[in-house]
Amino acid sequence: MQTLDAGVTMPAEEIAMLDGSTRTLGVPQDGFDWQAVIVYRGLHCPICNTYLAQLDALKGKFHDAGIDVIAISADPKEKAQQIVDDHNLTVPIGYDLSIAQMHTLGLYVSDPRSPQETDRPFAEPATFVINGQGELQIVDVSNAPFARPELEGLLNGIKFVRDKGYPIRGTHKPAA
């Protein structure tokens, strides 16, 4: 597995959205110039359910900071809709992330432990923050459900980066 490097252009993956549209990752909508893409494991994950509810509560603050926010998973449409209905979510939700897309995004992919967990391989959590130039400003990819950025801290960090013109970090390459 190869994770995406900070500073590279976000792969322009097309994602089906519950509202019937498709979205291109890295292309903010509705006049926003930055985008935060939150990858969640799926309906089967109680931590994801809580995390998405927290994200939804902060959506307005992300928007106030100029950041478009979407959440995506490998769940089929019905399960993605159920998580929205269960938590009255207003964050745009994408679904049916393919294994090929998961690999393109450098995500860890897990197989279900049982049919009761879920019925397909799924992505472990990740957060991508894409700046106004379409570059990955922040990359956080996890292989476990309990390791993901705290959302209020993430938002405050993004606001700092934007306000101070803070550079993309972690881009040092060793000499050849």
Side-chain angles (χ1 to χ4, degrees):
M1 184 194 87
Q2 180 72 29
T3 59
L4 296 176
D5 291 331
V8 303
T9 300
M10 180 69 171
E13 292 294 319
E14 292 287 323
I15 306 296
M17 304 298 292
L18 283 178
D19 69 2
S21 68
T22 58
R23 297 277 302 265
T24 303
L25 299 184
V27 180
Q29 301 278 308
D30 302 323
F32 298 112
D33 60 341
W34 283 43
Q35 185 181 62
V37 176
I38 306 299
V39 179
Y40 70 100
R41 299 170 83 226
L43 177 65
H44 69 276
C45 174
I47 297 170
C48 295
N49 280 259
T50 301
Y51 199 73
L52 288 178
Q54 292 169 349
L55 179 64
D56 201 71
L58 290 170
K59 183 180 82 167
K61 290 182 179 183
F62 275 91
H63 287 175
D64 290 345
I67 305 157
D68 178 30
V69 180
I70 65 171
I72 62 176
S73 78
D75 271 352
K77 186 175 185 178
E78 301 76 30
K79 287 185 178 183
Q81 186 63 56
Q82 184 178 343
I83 206 167
V84 167
D85 294 346
D86 288 352
H87 301 285
N88 297 311
L89 300 177
T90 60
V91 169
I93 300 290
Y95 62 94
D96 275 342
L97 193 62
S98 72
I99 292 173
Q101 288 174 314
M102 292 180 225
H103 287 297
T104 296
L105 295 173
L107 303 174
Y108 288 96
V109 180
S110 291
D111 292 315
R113 296 179 321 161
S114 71
Q116 290 73 35
E117 183 178 46
T118 190
D119 62 349
R120 62 181 65 194
F122 56 90
E124 292 295 341
T127 300
F128 301 104
V129 177
I130 301 98
N131 65 25
Q133 291 73 49
E135 301 163 331
L136 285 164
Q137 183 80 34
I138 299 170
V139 178
D140 187 279
V141 177
S142 179
N143 72 320
F146 7 84
R148 55 182 96 200
E150 187 271 319
L151 290 166
E152 189 100 30
L154 176 66
L155 173 60
N156 289 333
I158 296 169
K159 291 189 320 192
F160 177 86
V161 164
R162 292 188 62 142
D163 291 346
K164 305 292 185 192
Y166 196 74
I168 298 170
R169 307 307 298 164
T171 59
H172 177 82
K173 302 288 185 225

